[in-house]
């Protein structure tokens, strides 16, 4: 009822009649979701045309060609969206007709050609749907509205929502708009523009248009459009109108706008405006510029940057020193660089990355919304046609993925799975390098380097630091990582995993000697050989983190991880250590575990062999004392992993405090250290109040805590997790984004009981969640002192921590 009532209003407002001449009203039916999902849902244009209104439209516009062009477009879109007839049939027919008539582009087709095309299209409809093309415009409208509503549930929209964490239940609106016609004449057209450059953020009007075309021609990337700057030259008065409007829109929305416009000769129409998708570089530059322009506040600037997108700014670029041989150049649609093996469709992209675990570059004629899944898993995207606002470009930028679009120098043969570029033929599986910043396609592998971050990025980070209350530390095991993390703004190490220090030829030998030792004395002798290595590692790390706290976690993995694998290695190691192969086999057998993750690891190792942790603590404290004596500020925090029982922590902490205090006493040092534990066994969260009487700090090891709370093996989860996500059983991967209801409840409980007995206890998180924006928001709400994450995620965490403050102050 609402539709018909409003249609009547629309007829009055436009002076046109729906379904009748002499001035037939045509409408577009399009989706309108709360969050923009470019191209993911369906649209139908020119609805209301039939065999009689097409004639009326021709007479009214005095342009028969235009009327039939609109009709053939309508049949094609309606058949695709409503009747679900493969859109390829129509495309092929269009190409065939163009060939027959010697037409190079669509607009070369004459009115009779278009009439012929309409006839052929209608035959396809009859053949494939069993019914003639519907002539009743009301029927057309009803079915079109339903189809657009239904397109909320199509596969690509589902994938897009999964990728962008958009709620599947919010649904879409459907808009019925009166049509205006970019295909009315050679002086009409349509375009898409951004009020600032969505790639760099520069303050310049950026966009493209096509003459004698309708909207889908631009976004679908079927024809390569002209730059908006050309419009300024060709149509100055029209451009002036557009300029006035875009400036007004940006000022009103106080954000960069992505607008769609159409002009019928001199009349300009705006079809839609929305906040534009942009690269991280553009996001940062625009936010900082808008603060300078007094359009937004610093807090708004910080709130506007998508933390996950920052990755783009921190990710690789082509080594400027690398010698590159550019094979072709396309449009620099989304910056960054990528190296990978060529695949020619999205299914292969998904398949190759999942089963072969290789990096792929998706090469397509043009991408369509169906390709989002493939685009998401690819390192980079290369298309032969389409402009900077084509689907591939817009979606890739949103994903922060390197993309080159409209690279007309490549000729793709999808059947043969090859593309030709100059004299070269590139086959499926061949390696190519893309430079999305310049649009250059390079054959073979090119060296990539980490980017330098500066300017606007640092400004945003500075503002974020002023706002946030959470400290951000890093997970780092080497002085190099520690230094890199400091460069990204880390305020200490939240997790230094010591097991990596047990690898390396010489060290591994001593580790194995320790494992094969028959008694404690022999074990201690082997450990004594390891200690100098450990100590020198700690010297390096403490020095790199001078002035900042460093949490060192004592040995965590099961011992069999250090044993040789395979007959050859076993034989070599046996010979090297001078023990019989048989004994080595027996020992390996004895160390075998059915479920190592729940086996003899973490503090359980130290309950059995206290000397291992004792050696590590000696190395930590000796290194720290030596640096302290040299006036280097060191704040070691010794962390015991996998504690579940208060008695475990009591036993080990007493022993290790004894070791540490003895060294400090012997050296007459003033070193201050802390002793704490990880909370990664659910039981530890439950008894946190008791643990907090012994520990000076807790670090939530949410990787293990998730594993044990959900009962999902960290190593095997990939087998079933995709199904859980796909079927909506789980919304997110709980190992990436903290399960707040379950695991989070344990964290909350532990925080509360720990603080009640030990108000000064320092609380942090060092699981992977420490670098995940939504989990950081949770940590902020829980009142943790810090989050710790891998070096590259430190800026993301700093920004997320600031956004958590902003978001919660709104509440
Ligand atoms: C954890 O379990 O969250 C943790 C940080 O330790 P690891 O990943 O080394 O088990
Ligand atoms: Mg752990």
């Amino acid at each position: 009822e609402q539709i018909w009532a409003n249609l009547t209003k629309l007829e009055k407002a436009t002076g046109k009649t729906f379904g009748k001449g002499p001035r037939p009203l045509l409408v577009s039916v399009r989706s309108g979701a709360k969050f923009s999902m470019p191209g993911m849902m369906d649209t139908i244009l020119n609805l209301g045309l039939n065999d009689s209104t097409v004639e009326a439209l021709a007479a009214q516009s005095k342009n028969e060609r235009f009327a039939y062009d609109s009709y053939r477009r309508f049949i094609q879109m309606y058949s695709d969206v409503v009747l679900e007839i493969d859109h390829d049939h129509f495309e092929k027919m269009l190409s065939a007709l163009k060939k027959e008539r010697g037409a190079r582009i669509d607009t070369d087709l004459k009115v009779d050609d278009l009439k012929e095309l309409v006839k052929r299209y209608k035959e396809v409809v009859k053949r494939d749907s069993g019914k003639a093309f519907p002539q009743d415009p009301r029927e057309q409208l009803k079915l079109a509205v339903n189809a657009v509503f239904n397109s909320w549930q199509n596969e690509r929209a589902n994938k897009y929502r999964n990728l962008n964490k958009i709620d599947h239940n919010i649904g879409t609106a459907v808009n019925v708009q009166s049509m205006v016609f970019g295909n009315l004449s050679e002086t009409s057209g349509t375009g898409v523009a951004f009020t600032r450059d969505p790639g760099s953020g520069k303050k310049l009007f950026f966009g493209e248009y096509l003459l004698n075309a309708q909207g889908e021609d631009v976004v679908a990337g079927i024809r390569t459009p002209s730059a908006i700057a050309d419009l300024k030259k060709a149509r100055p008065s029209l451009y002036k109108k557009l300029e006035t409007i875009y400036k007004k829109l940006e000022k009103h929305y106080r954000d960069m706008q992505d607008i769609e416009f159409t002009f019928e000769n001199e009349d300009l129409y705006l079809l839609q405006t929305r906040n534009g998708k942009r690269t991280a570089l553009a996001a940062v530059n625009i936010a900082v510029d808008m603060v300078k322009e007094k359009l937004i506040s610093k807090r708004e600037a910080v709130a506007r940057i998508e933390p996950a997108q920052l990755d783009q700014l921190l990710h690789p670029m082509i080594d400027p020193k690398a010698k590159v041989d550019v094979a072709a150049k396309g449009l620099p649609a989304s910056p960054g660089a990528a190296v990978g093996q060529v695949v020619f469709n999205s299914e292969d992209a998904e398949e190759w990355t999942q089963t072969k675990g290789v990096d792929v570059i998706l090469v397509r004629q043009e991408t369509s919304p169906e390709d989002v899944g493939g685009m998401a898993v690819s390192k980079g995207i290369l298309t032969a046609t389409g402009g900077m606002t084509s689907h591939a470009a817009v979606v890739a930028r949103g994903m922060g993925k390197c993309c080159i679009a409209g690279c007309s120098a490549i000729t793709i043969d999808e059947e043969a799975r090859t593309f030709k570029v100059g004299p070269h033929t590139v086959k499926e599986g061949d390696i190519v390098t893309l430079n999305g910043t310049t649009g250059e396609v390079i054959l073979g592998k090119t060296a990539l380097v980490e980017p330098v971050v500066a300017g606007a990025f640092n400004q945003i980070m500075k503002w974020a630091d002023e706002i946030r209350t959470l400290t951000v530390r890093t997970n780092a095991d080497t002085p190099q990582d520690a230094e890199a993390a400091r460069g990204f703004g880390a305020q200490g190490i939240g997790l230094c995993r010591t097991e990596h220090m047990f690898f390396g030829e010489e060290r591994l030998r001593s580790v194995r000697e320790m494992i094969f030792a028959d008694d404690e004395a022999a074990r201690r002798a082997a450990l004594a050989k390891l200690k100098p290595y450990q100590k020198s590692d700690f010297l390096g790390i403490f020095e790199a983190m001078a002035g900042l706290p460093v949490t060192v976690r004592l040995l965590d993995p099961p011992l069999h991880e250090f044993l040789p694998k395979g007959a050859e290695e076993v034989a070599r190691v046996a010979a090297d250590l001078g023990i019989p192969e048989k004994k080595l086999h027996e020992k390996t057998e004895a160390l075998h575990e059915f479920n190592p993750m729940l086996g003899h690891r973490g503090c359980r190792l130290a309950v059995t062999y206290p000397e291992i942790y004792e050696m590590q603590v000696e190395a930590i404290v000796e290194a720290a004392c030596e640096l302290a004596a040299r006036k280097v500020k060191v704040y070691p925090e010794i962390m015991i992993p996998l504690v579940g029982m208060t008695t475990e922590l009591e036993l080990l902490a007493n022993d290790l405090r004894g070791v540490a205090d003895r060294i400090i006493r012997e050296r007459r040092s003033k070193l201050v250290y802390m002793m704490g534990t990880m909370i990664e066994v659910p039981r530890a969260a439950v008894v946190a109040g008791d643990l907090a009487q012994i520990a000076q700090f807790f670090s939530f090891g949410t990787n293990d805590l998730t594993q044990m709370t959900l009962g999902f093996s960290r190593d095997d989860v990939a087998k079933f997790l995709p199904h859980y996500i796909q079927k909506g059983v789980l919304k997110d991967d709980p190992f990436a984004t903290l399960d707040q209801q379950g695991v989070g409840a344990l964290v909350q409980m532990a925080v509360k009981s720990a603080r009640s007995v030990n108000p000064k206890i320092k609380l942090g998180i060092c699981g992977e969640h420490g670098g995940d924006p939504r989990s950081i928001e949770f940590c902020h709400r829980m009142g943790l002192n810090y989050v710790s994450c891998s070096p590259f995620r430190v800026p993301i965490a700093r920004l997320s921590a600031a956004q958590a403050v902003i978001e919660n102050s709104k509440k």
Side-chain angles (χ1 to χ4, degrees), residues 447-460:
L448 305 183
V449 291
E450 302 309 337
V452 271
V453 287
F457 173 82
N458 288 333
Q459 182 59 261
I460 289 280

Side-chain angles (χ1 to χ4, degrees), residues 689-765:
D690 293 335
L691 295 173
Q693 298 190 357
I694 305 167
Q696 289 161 286
F697 69 89
F698 283 172
S699 180
F700 290 95
T702 43
N703 301 334
D704 274 309
L705 193 58
T706 299
Q707 163 168 269
M708 289 185 236
T709 302
L710 277 83
F712 282 6
S713 157
R714 285 163 73 171
D715 305 313
D716 302 313
V717 71
K719 288 194 186 129
F720 55 88
L721 190 64
H723 302 278
Y724 271 62
I725 303 278
Q726 197 200 339
K727 296 195 172 152
V729 179
L730 273 175
K731 241 169 114 177
D732 302 294
D733 175 349
F735 289 99
T737 299
L738 194 84
D739 156 39
Q740 294 186 15
Q741 253 195 330
V743 179
L746 285 172
V747 172
Q748 184 169 25
M749 174 179 172
V751 168
K752 199 167 159 229
S753 47
R755 285 251 164 84
S756 73
V757 302
N758 182 356
K760 282 211 214 112
I761 193 164
K762 215 195 247 187
L763 303 173
I765 179 175

